[in-house]
Amino acid sequence: MGARKNQLLRILVFILLLLQYCLQISLTLVDAKTTVHVVYMGEKKYEDPDTLTKSHHKILSTLLGSKEAAKRSIIYSYKHGFSGFAARLTETQAKKIAEHPEVLRVIPNGILQSHTTRSWDFMGLNYPSPSSKNLLTESNMGKGTIIGVIDSGVWPESESFNDEGMDPVPSHWRGICQEGKKFNSSICNKKLIGARYFVKGIMEHFELHGEFLSPRDANGHGTHTASTAAGYFVEKANYEGLATGLARGGAPLAHLAIYKACWLIGQCRSSDADLLKAFDKAIHDGVDVISVSIGNGIPLPSHIDQSNSIAIGSFHAISKGIPVVASAGNDGPTSQTIGNDAPWIITVGATTSDRNLPTAITLGNKQILWGQSMDSGKSNHRFTSLAYSELVAVDSPRVSASDCQEGSLNATLAAGKIILCFSATDAQDMGSAAVTVKNAGGIGLIFAQSYSDLLFPCGFILCIKVDFEVGTQILNYIRRASSPVAKLGFPKTVIGNLASPRVASFSSRGPGSLSPSVLKPDIVAPGVDILAAYPALNSKRTNAFEFMSGTSMACPHVSGIVALIKSTKRDWSPAAIRSALVTTASQTGKDGVSIFELGSSRKPADPFDMGGGFVNPNKAMDPGLVYDITPAEYIQFLCSMGHNNKSISRQLMTTASCKRNNHMRLNLNLPSITIPGLSKTVTVTRKVTNVGHIHSIYKAVLEPPYGIKMSVEPQVLSFNVTNKIMSFKVTFSAQEVRGGYTFGSLTWTDGEHFVRSPVAVRAVKFGSNYEV
């Protein structure tokens, strides 16, 4: 009996063990799905890349059980600009590796998206220069500098990347010309000196169709931005006869290095793992400037503490003296939509320029109204003889539609007609409305929208964009006429008849939600209807050019300017260059009137719309004073944001303690001052470095924000051979609580230079001065 009990007990124990084993297997299967995670480890522990890679394998092998498993899991090892790796891990493994003492943080592999013949002359960088001196000529057009463009690749056959007249490849270049589909190493030249591509991270999320597994650009975004930053001279560049002129980049004699990390998936999309590897290689290769027109879009809680790939990669770049210029995002005009808002990045918003494409709409009563269009008729010859056609509005019973959304138009009643469509919001663009009209058999579209600064070429039908005022006039004509007809004209290129620049409606606005004491954007530059090189995907032409709009187009304008400054001011830090751009920017347009924004209110632009203002490259060459910042000071700013000692000490391999100081948020030596919550009185500290005349005396000029008392001490700064850096304090007191931000400025002037810092203050009734 005892033996039988023992046998039953053994069977019961076996069953329990079996159930436990099955449960473990089940839990393992539930968590068995691996996804790519970025394991970020901060500054390099070893200089030798091979030793660093082996250390990554060793760390991961402690979790996965063997070095072989670690090698299979890792898709990238970051070993040049910083330390870390991207690996396929389960959620449980990701949480476990985050506990390793050498790991700063583990980041899921998120997805990011992409955010000329006239614009350079518009900004005063004329070629040939009508005067004897401007930044373009003084900098030798960027000769000797290397701009690294992280984007969707390049179309190397474009004439914008011709190397005629280019100097040899700089001696500090260490990169390669990576081969791949329809891209071989012989394609690179003295202009396009290097190219790489990074795809492992994005392939974890998407299948790539219509792409080149190489640095070749299938999207057009990267070719456009690269040629804007540093394209070589191309005579008679145009888009179907529009905007004809000399195309060139901002730094036409600078060299280009291409890092393809954005892939054609509906639009241009990137992964954190690929972007970090692009930064890692760009730092290794020896670029002088990094331009990245990619971002997360509207900041989300998952992006907190600047833990996204662009912020991390750019921090290590600026730590090595490489300025990073990034786009602000295209989620405007709503406030708090700014992207790429880390304080060490030069963040660029978009404006219009003084070129427009007026297009006539002739009504049946001979009245002529004007809109804008990019459809010249050359891409579709049936338009060249277009005469008067029946004109209907979307609310007409003859069309049977309430809007121009997909499938909304009655094909029988819309066929052969010109359709007037109103878009009450920015949810629908002219391109999608044109598809609806075409599918219904319409031959033309008049698209009325409050924001008239964003055009698209339709090609398959004639499209003209008008504002609501013109749209209403056309609608009134339709309702009064018994048989309304219209004739659509073709656009002409006109320069100088528009009030400009204006902040684009789509350009993302501040204040930043993650770091509200950091004013963003820093600067604005042309980003609307920019003509630049484009892949000749369906043609053998090498001089294809296209119009594109976005902060993606504004970013390379500033990247080109930074390259020009870098070539003349080799010893300036990234922060000093950013300061020169911000403090010399313009707040007035070419007409002498304050710059306006094209948002819903059409108000004068404030610092959350345009930062310091519209970039003035010639003044930035000689700013007088600069606000400099060291990487260690950024670290202390991160301390004030709540980072712990482990994170900070590993970030720069320093043993300095991380003391949480709320006022450091206000005292980071930015060329601007932002106080998100002022209840009583607060004093902020700044310091300026004299980069102008050795013996200089600067006096303070204050423009206090409305309802705020503002004072500076001292009011005069005297510089000489021994005193090149001087500190000052600015005190703010709330006199009136209005609930929102008010704006002002602090300007230091010696009579020749005007070093202007924008100021934004929000007075609050309750609580202490900006405490968290």
Side-chain angles (χ1 to χ4, degrees), residues 316 466 484 509 588 689:
H316 289 282
V466 299
R509 310 300 209 260
T588 56
T689 302

Coordinates of all heavy atoms in Angstrom, one line a residue, residues 316 466 484 509 588 689:
H316 N 25.6 63.3 -30.0 CA 27.0 62.8 -30.2 C 27.7 63.5 -31.3 O 28.9 63.7 -31.3 CB 27.0 61.3 -30.3 CG 26.6 60.6 -29.1 ND1 27.5 60.4 -28.0 CD2 25.5 60.0 -28.6 CE1 26.9 59.7 -27.0 NE2 25.7 59.5 -27.4
V466 N -7.1 78.6 -55.1 CA -7.5 80.0 -54.8 C -7.9 80.1 -53.3 O -8.0 79.1 -52.7 CB -8.8 80.4 -55.6 CG1 -8.5 80.4 -57.1 CG2 -10.0 79.5 -55.3
P484 N -23.2 78.7 -66.4 CA -21.9 79.2 -66.0 C -20.7 78.4 -66.7 O -20.8 77.2 -66.8 CB -21.8 78.9 -64.5 CG -22.8 77.9 -64.3 CD -23.9 78.1 -65.3
R509 N 4.7 74.6 -35.0 CA 4.8 75.7 -34.1 C 5.3 75.2 -32.7 O 5.0 74.1 -32.3 CB 3.5 76.5 -34.0 CG 2.8 76.9 -35.3 CD 3.7 77.8 -36.2 NE 2.9 78.7 -37.0 CZ 2.6 78.5 -38.3 NH1 3.0 77.4 -38.9 NH2 1.9 79.4 -38.9
T588 N 11.3 91.2 -40.1 CA 10.5 92.0 -41.1 C 10.8 91.4 -42.5 O 11.8 90.8 -42.8 CB 10.9 93.4 -41.1 OG1 12.4 93.6 -41.4 CG2 10.6 94.1 -39.8
T689 N 30.1 85.6 -25.9 CA 31.5 85.6 -26.3 C 31.7 86.6 -27.5 O 31.0 86.5 -28.5 CB 32.0 84.2 -26.8 OG1 31.7 83.2 -25.7 CG2 33.4 84.1 -27.2

